[in-house]
Amino acid sequence: MPDKVETTLMLIAAGEFSMGILGNAFIGLVNCMGWIKNRKITSIDLILTSLAISRICLLCIILLDCFILVLYPDVYTAGKQMRIIDFFWTLTNHLSVWFATCLSIFYFLKIANFYHPLFLRMKWRIDSMIPRILLGCLALSAFISLVVTENLNDDFRYCVKTKRKANVTVRCRVNKAQYASIKICLNLLTLLPFSASLISFLLLILSLWRHNRQMKVSATQCRDFNIEAHVGAMKAVISFLLLFIAYYLAFLVATSSYFMPETELAVIIGELIALIYPSSHSFILILGSKKLRQTSLTVLWKVKYILNRRNF
């Protein structure tokens, strides 16, 4: 049975999971209802919906892994169950990162102002390319997951129960050489989309600086919606970058801790921090989207109205 510290951490993880499911399910539901109503979906809504679905799956896998580690550690002695969990974790992890990168690049192409022929060509064709890009991300993530899973042997991660002060603890050990090589490859692969998002953010800053300089030269005093679009896109991208860094570090803590004894608590804390990224970023995206923000305010107003009626 888990001790008080583990129980508290599990409750926190369940709370983060619930908030993440609420935010991402709201994004997916609103966009899907609009898709059914209008019989078409915009590129930005398609990216947001795909991102929300991938993060719902990622949240489920992280929470499942956390609960299994504490309540049913014997599951990790079976290679088949271990392979299944690692496959879906790797798949949803890469999907979430790649879809978020697609969102960052989409913001950059739609909002930034550059006159390079390659940029203009991509800007004009991005809407028609989005479905194929998302399918490409899915195929790439599935391929990476299959390669990683196939390279795991039955001794990759296993748990050995030991008793200490009448409490059952779990020591997770791994084949260090194999695990180190797989972890390095995974980390390097996730740095690719992160770098693309970082470049998009820096180019957005450059575009905003050039636009401000042009506005000063022309001495325009009216409200500039282009600046507002730049700032909104930069907020969405920088929030993703900061949360991804926290998620990345938590992932390193959770995986690296398997090299040391008595690491169950470290793994849970790492996964607890990792849950923040897919849970909180959804609310940032809701606040940054006019449609989602207005819909959320409408839903909150209706909920408040229903609760007030029940009180009377």
Side-chain angles (χ1 to χ4, degrees), residues 22-56:
L22 179 64
N24 287 290
F26 176 81
I27 294 175
L29 184 61
V30 170
N31 289 332
C32 287
M33 289 177 63
W35 189 358
I36 295 173
K37 181 179 179 180
N38 301 322
R39 296 185 178 180
K40 63 179 181 179
I41 186 170
T42 62
S43 297
I44 185 66
D45 288 345
L46 181 59
I47 297 174
L48 287 173
T49 303
S50 303
L51 180 60
I53 293 173
S54 68
R55 284 179 171 171
I56 289 174

Side-chain angles (χ1 to χ4, degrees), residues 209-224 227:
W209 176 77
R210 292 178 58 184
H211 180 75
N212 282 332
R213 190 176 62 176
Q214 292 174 0
M215 293 292 292
K216 290 179 180 179
V217 171
S218 60
T220 303
Q221 300 293 331
C222 60
R223 182 181 180 186
D224 193 348
I227 292 181

